[in-house]
Structure formats: structure tokens, C-alpha cells
Amino acid sequence: MKKLIEEFKEFALRGNVIDLAVGVIIGAAFQNIVTSLTDDIISPVIGLVAQTDFKDLVFTAFGVSIKYGSFITAVINFFIMAVVLFTLIKLMNKAASLGKHEEEAPSEPTTKTCPFCQSEIAIAAIRCPHCTSVLEEAAAE
């Protein structure tokens, strides 16, 4: 049982889990802000056309109320959240890429191929360690 508690403590106190918990809490708080924006500002402004709050628009069919105004308000709420999250993630990715340096150019080759046995050898070699051939580049020098 003690090992299970230790494993759980190690899991729960990992940085990613704590970051996720903070993200969920902030997301819930932000959701309340967006809901208030749509319910208290956007819906009444759109509802000016219908002379009622937009989220209160209802269609009744066979004794059943279909709250299409509330549904459209929820869709607007979703789109606002999606745009804000998209923008936030895009900015975070851009900020993360600023810290990274561009890939360095490939360094000079450290090996070459023996023209006789086609083995890979060190660039400074004057004799092939595999076939013991004297390499022409070194012989010319």
C-alpha cells in the first residue's frame, strides 16, 4: 500500500499534471467570462431585433419547447472559446519558437569512402585500414 501511495504522489506532483490542473481551473474561469459575454452582452444585442433576449427565443411544437435561441447562444459561446484558444496556442507556439535557434549547418564530413574496397574510413587517412591500399589523394601530396 505504501508503494502505491508513493507512486501516486510521484504522479500527482509531476509538473505536467499540475500544469494541466491549473489549465483546467483557468479554463473554467474563462468559460464563465465567455458565457457572461454571450448571455449578458451579445444575446441582448442580437435580441433587439426580436424585442426579447436572444437566448429566450423558443419554438413550441406539439407542446414541446425547442430553445433554439439558447442553442445558438451556446454555439456563439463555443466559437468565441475556439477563436481565443486558437489564438492563445498560436501565440504560445510562436513564443516557444523564438527561443530556439535555427538548425546549424551540417559540419564538415569526418569520413570518406575508400575507392578500392568502398569501406568508410577517416577523412585524414592516407592508407585504408581495411584493404591497406594507399589512397591517391595522399600519394599525390
Side-chain angles (χ1 to χ4, degrees), residues 113-130:
T113 304
C114 174
F116 300 103
C117 68
Q118 300 299 312
S119 298
E120 192 171 293
I121 58 175
I123 196 91
I126 57 173
R127 187 177 286 262
C128 178
H130 302 284

Side-chain angles (χ1 to χ4, degrees), residues 5 7 9 11 17 21 33-34 37 45 53 73 80 94 106 124:
I5 293 171
E7 288 177 1
K9 187 189 298 183
F11 168 76
V17 175
I33 293 170
V34 172
L37 173 70
V45 170
D53 193 358
T73 301
I80 291 171
K94 188 165 189 143

